[in-house]
Amino acid sequence: MAEHRGVVFPLDEASGRRSTAAVGRAVVADALLSVDPVGAASAARETNWRQGYLEHFRRLVEAGLPGAAAAHTIAREGLISVHARMRWTGPSGEVALAAAVEEPVTRLGSATIRGEGAPDRTISLPYAAERASGDRLRRVLAGWVERGVVEPSCAEAVELVIANPDWLDLSDQTIVVLGAAAEMGPLRSLLRWGADVVAVDLPRKDLWHRLIGDTRRLSGSMTVPVQPGSGPVESRLGGDLVHDLASVTQWVTSQEGPLVLGNYVYADGATNVRVATAVDVLTQRAVAERGRDEVSLAFLATPTDVFAVPGGAVARSVENYAQRHTSKVLRVPLRTLSGGRLMRRNYVPGEDPGINDSVVLQQGPNYLLAKRLQRWRATAHRADGGLVSLNVAPPTRTRSVVKNRALAAAYAGAHRFGVEVFEPGTANTLMAILLVHDLRVGAPAREHPWQDEAAAAVHGGLWTSAYDPRSVLGIAALLGLAAAR
């Protein structure tokens, strides 16, 4: 079966099962051990990982705050643990993960699809039923800052790209988009600007048919791996990172030019950890072969995670809590009836940095581990002197979100608590603009990794909301369902 081949969770000989909870618990404990042994022991003892994982992922952030060295240690030890614990199942059975890229490779060919349009050098963003550019886009940015939807540094970064439209000429970069069909990915924006993109996604004919159509209408080019065999090239496009990792890795690392490895992969459940691990193996090999100066990394961080946030965001939240529109009349009885679980403050006043915990329990520990793996790789690569673009993306109405009825309802009611949920076209274009900024400016490492993660964040208001997001999630969902009716 496909779920037992390629990059897999280890098989427990005693139970005959592949426990995702055991791996998640152990990885978090390993990451914490050197910096926070008490936290590590607590994670290792957690008996109900699927419900109890929240506090341990929060501790991964809190334990790194005393200094950059602590955050770097957590990131590196977490990465080591993932690579040591995850496994590769190939022709010779289940072996160490490192063996994945030593397997005999299937030599993949390449096909390049070229667009027929002219490059668009205008910085524009689809928003509120129009495409905003120039002064209109500046007003949109100013409105987001005023409402606490984005960090001020986000608006500053976009303003810098607006002032330098020549930055959109990315002919000096080989941008690899892993997860080319992802709704939040930058593929279409890059093609609109005329970039030559290397695209990797699953070998699915319908997926590539759609992407080829998009490419032809735009101005850039898309180079895609081609499976060997007979028949039309269009039916042999794509590469499977989880099951054919060595071949895809060899193909990606053989591309010419300085590489920008853009990680936009996503899958449901445990497969998300498997594909995130596969990308990290590819990343390690690419950096080892090409050198950190020749390989830049790009990621999108999920807003529904735990982050240290600047004092300015904390102060804005405290101000919102004090204002009338935060439903003072309902707040006291709801908090009393719920035993303090509902409508909690987002922060203790005066915290700097504050800890924002916007994790949604329903997304599960596998989702959070996959995203934390990306944050750890970003931290480690930046600490080694490599260029990293990691930006917090906004809450967005993607297909993966709206198919969950509870989350879709919560997003529909989120505006009642100062949270703006983005449309996919707005979100992915904005994040592509921030990618261009980071590639051109260099995204230098700041004093502490939490500051790198918070820079230019598009959190949608989760960081500045009056309330702890999880304490109003259910209320937002009820209000969203009522509005839908």
Side-chain angles (χ1 to χ4, degrees), residues 264-408:
Y264 306 99
V265 298
Y266 172 78
D268 289 332
T271 306
N272 203 21
V273 177
R274 295 171 67 197
V275 70
T277 301
V279 172
D280 204 61
V281 172
L282 183 157
T283 300
Q284 273 197 322
R285 176 54 66 99
V287 173
E289 289 187 4
R290 304 284 289 266
R292 66 170 180 263
D293 293 335
E294 285 289 303
V295 180
S296 304
L297 306 183
F299 307 90
L300 295 181
T302 176
T304 51
D305 201 341
V306 182
F307 292 95
V309 306
V314 174
R316 181 66 180 270
S317 170
V318 171
E319 179 185 347
N320 287 336
Y321 189 86
Q323 291 176 354
R324 290 183 180 178
H325 66 72
T326 56
S327 306
K328 290 182 180 178
V329 174
L330 290 175
R331 186 163 68 208
V332 173
L334 282 173
R335 289 205 64 193
T336 301
L337 291 170
S338 67
R341 292 190 302 274
L342 295 179
M343 303 187 82
R344 296 190 306 269
R345 278 185 180 274
N346 216 347
Y347 312 96
V348 175
E351 287 183 324
D352 188 7
I355 296 291
N356 180 268
D357 182 351
S358 294
V359 176
V360 177
L361 184 63
Q362 291 88 336
Q363 290 180 307
N366 289 320
Y367 175 78
L368 216 56
L369 179 59
K371 298 306 291 185
R372 197 58 59 94
L373 175 58
Q374 296 173 7
R375 288 171 64 182
W376 286 339
R377 178 56 63 192
T379 294
H381 191 66
R382 191 181 276 115
D384 290 338
L387 190 150
V388 174
S389 172
L390 182 143
N391 294 297
V392 176
T396 306
R397 293 183 183 87
T398 58
R399 287 187 294 271
S400 63
V401 168
V402 298
K403 72 181 182 182
N404 183 309
R405 292 180 63 187
L407 283 179

Side-chain angles (χ1 to χ4, degrees), residues 25-330:
R25 184 168 51 236
V27 167
V28 172
D30 289 344
L32 286 170
L33 185 59
S34 297
V35 171
D36 180 8
V38 174
S42 178
R45 290 194 305 267
E46 179 62 63
T47 57
N48 185 7
W49 187 248
R50 295 190 184 281
Q51 297 295 319
Y53 70 95
L54 297 173
E55 65 178 274
H56 306 295
F57 276 92
R58 180 181 178 115
R59 198 146 185 171
L60 286 168
V61 174
E62 292 174 330
L65 288 182
H72 293 155
T73 297
I74 289 169
R76 295 188 193 282
E77 293 300 319
L79 291 168
I80 290 170
S81 181
V82 169
H83 283 255
R85 293 180 182 282
M86 295 294 285
R87 309 288 284 172
W88 172 259
T89 300
S92 56
E94 186 172 308
V95 294
L97 181 63
V101 289
E102 306 302 334
E103 293 275 351
V105 301
T106 300
R107 291 286 173 178
L108 302 175
S110 297
T112 299
I113 299 92
R114 300 193 182 280
E116 299 167 357
D120 184 354
R121 293 288 185 260
T122 303
I123 312 298
S124 63
L125 196 68
Y127 184 70
E130 65 175 331
R131 195 158 194 103
S133 62
D135 288 340
R136 166 60 180 154
L137 178 53
R138 291 185 176 93
R139 288 194 296 272
V140 169
L141 293 168
W144 282 340
V145 172
E146 183 180 353
R147 298 194 302 276
V149 173
V150 304
E151 286 301 286
S153 51
C154 169
E156 293 165 7
V158 177
E159 288 270 12
L160 203 52
V161 181
I162 293 173
N164 294 275
D166 56 305
W167 285 359
L168 296 184
D169 180 0
L170 296 166
S171 56
D172 59 328
Q173 306 278 345
T174 299
I175 302 181
V176 182
V177 180
L178 303 171
E183 275 190 278
M184 289 296 291
L187 181 67
R188 289 169 182 80
S189 291
L190 294 172
L191 292 171
R192 189 173 69 254
W193 298 329
D196 297 319
V197 179
V198 174
V200 178
D201 214 312
L202 291 169
R204 285 174 33 198
K205 188 174 180 180
D206 59 330
L207 179 155
W208 290 108
H209 178 76
R210 185 173 69 254
L211 294 183
I212 289 172
D214 290 342
T215 303
R216 294 205 187 282
R217 287 190 293 272
L218 298 167
S219 62
S221 71
M222 179 175 68
T223 299
V224 185
V226 180
Q227 303 289 329
S230 57
V233 169
E234 289 80 2
S235 65
R236 294 185 282 116
L237 299 177
D240 189 332
L241 281 159
V242 170
H243 299 105
D244 197 12
L245 181 53
S247 300
V248 177
T249 297
Q250 188 276 332
W251 184 82
V252 169
T253 55
S254 70
Q255 301 300 312
E256 296 181 357
L259 296 181
V260 179
L261 292 182
N263 184 347
Y264 306 99
V265 298
Y266 172 78
D268 289 332
T271 306
N272 203 21
V273 177
R274 295 171 67 197
V275 70
T277 301
V279 172
D280 204 61
V281 172
L282 183 157
T283 300
Q284 273 197 322
R285 176 54 66 99
V287 173
E289 289 187 4
R290 304 284 289 266
R292 66 170 180 263
D293 293 335
E294 285 289 303
V295 180
S296 304
L297 306 183
F299 307 90
L300 295 181
T302 176
T304 51
D305 201 341
V306 182
F307 292 95
V309 306
V314 174
R316 181 66 180 270
S317 170
V318 171
E319 179 185 347
N320 287 336
Y321 189 86
Q323 291 176 354
R324 290 183 180 178
H325 66 72
T326 56
S327 306
K328 290 182 180 178
V329 174
L330 290 175

